[in-house]
Amino acid sequence: MNILRGNTGVYASGNKVYSDAYGADQTIRLELVGGPGAFSGAGGTLTSSGTFSQDYGVDAAANLNGSAVQSNGNDLSIVSSFFTGNINLAPGTTAGQYQFVIRNSGLLFQLSSQAAPTDQTIIGIPDVASTELGVEQRTTGGITFGGFVRTLAAGGQSDMQNNPANAVRILDAAINQISDIRAFLGAFTHDNIQPAIRELGVHIENLSASESSIRDLDFAAETSQMTKNQILFQAGVAVIGQANQIPQSVLRLLQ
């Protein structure tokens, strides 16, 4: 059985059979092919050749501030007004109330033209260091399972030479974590950043059109004022010219 653990996800340790993963999707089904002995479990007792026994896993049941939390095995998916993310419960977690500390960190994005909290959002991503990518190491039935990417180094607990099956599990978990982060950032860009860019582009276009209208209006006013000043100047010059001709006319009469 343990030889095929990489394919079945089931292994035996001592007089018990375990599943590598958790949750309602996990099933262990045993058949007594022959020989003496018996197997007892949640699915019944095997005492005769050809009989089957099977058992199913269960998903963790949890709630956050009275609201049910979606779960898959020991992974909790939380979407709330103050926290959105996943929480992985350690194996053997007992029922009870637990407190989680949420650190207010990340980058602040301005998504609209108003400096208001409703037009801003803060996002962050998990630590992607080699000491954090992978799965929490656990020991079940005397067999160690999981670990982080750093344990894949040559001579480490899960290097490809000494424990290739576990190394593949760690790599799969790390790839899934990176894929989740990329999907989250892609969704945030598509659903928040790009609409904000389009909205701000519309604001810029409207402001440019308003500025152009104001400039056109100022040009017309200045043109009218210049024409008025030219007319007044020409009229003033004409009046001065006529005033200068009066003394000359008087002198001609005196001659």
Side-chain angles (χ1 to χ4, degrees):
M1 175 181 291
N2 290 348
I3 296 177
L4 300 176
R5 179 180 178 180
N7 297 326
T8 63
V10 177
Y11 65 97
S13 177
N15 60 351
K16 296 183 179 180
V17 178
Y18 300 90
S19 171
D20 282 333
Y22 298 91
D25 295 336
Q26 306 304 314
T27 305
I28 296 179
R29 178 182 172 92
L30 297 177
E31 177 186 0
L32 183 59
V33 177
F39 176 81
S40 299
T45 301
L46 303 179
T47 56
S48 60
S49 177
T51 56
F52 293 89
S53 178
Q54 62 184 14
D55 193 13
Y56 303 91
V58 295
D59 295 327
N63 64 77
L64 179 67
N65 293 339
S67 299
V69 174
Q70 183 179 0
S71 63
N72 181 15
N74 60 338
D75 293 324
L76 307 179
S77 298
I78 299 176
V79 178
S80 66
S81 58
F82 60 89
F83 174 73
T84 298
N86 297 323
I87 295 178
N88 181 264
L89 299 177
T93 300
T94 59
Q97 294 184 353
Y98 295 89
Q99 293 183 348
F100 298 92
V101 178
I102 301 174
R103 184 172 59 185
N104 186 14
S105 62
L107 296 177
L108 175 64
F109 283 82
Q110 180 69 42
L111 300 177
S112 189
S113 58
Q114 302 296 323
T118 54
D119 289 345
Q120 298 173 340
T121 186
I122 298 177
I123 67 166
I125 61 174
D127 191 349
V128 293
S130 62
T131 55
E132 300 295 334
L133 288 177
V135 292
E136 189 74 29
Q137 190 178 75
R138 65 178 186 266
T139 300
T140 305
I143 298 178
T144 301
F145 174 87
F148 297 105
V149 172
R150 66 176 179 179
T151 61
L152 301 179
Q157 297 177 350
S158 301
D159 66 354
M160 294 295 293
Q161 182 176 359
N162 296 326
N163 197 348
N166 196 46
V168 170
R169 294 190 193 96
I170 296 174
L171 289 176
D172 287 340
I175 291 173
N176 290 334
Q177 289 170 338
I178 295 297
S179 298
D180 290 343
I181 295 174
R182 293 184 62 186
F184 168 72
L185 294 177
F188 178 77
T189 301
H190 182 270
D191 297 336
N192 296 275
I193 299 296
Q194 293 180 355
I197 292 175
R198 291 192 293 268
E199 181 183 356
L200 292 175
V202 173
H203 286 307
I204 293 174
E205 182 178 355
N206 292 336
L207 289 174
S208 299
S210 300
E211 181 187 15
S212 177
S213 299
I214 294 172
R215 287 179 180 272
D216 292 342
L217 182 61
D218 290 343
F219 179 77
E222 291 298 330
T223 302
S224 300
Q225 185 65 32
M226 184 184 68
T227 304
K228 174 184 175 182
N229 293 335
Q230 288 178 343
I231 294 173
L232 292 175
F233 176 76
Q234 293 174 357
V237 171
V239 170
I240 292 173
Q242 291 178 357
N244 290 335
Q245 290 178 359
I246 292 175
Q248 296 178 0
S249 300
V250 171
L251 290 175
R252 289 194 194 98
L253 292 174
L254 293 176
Q255 292 176 353

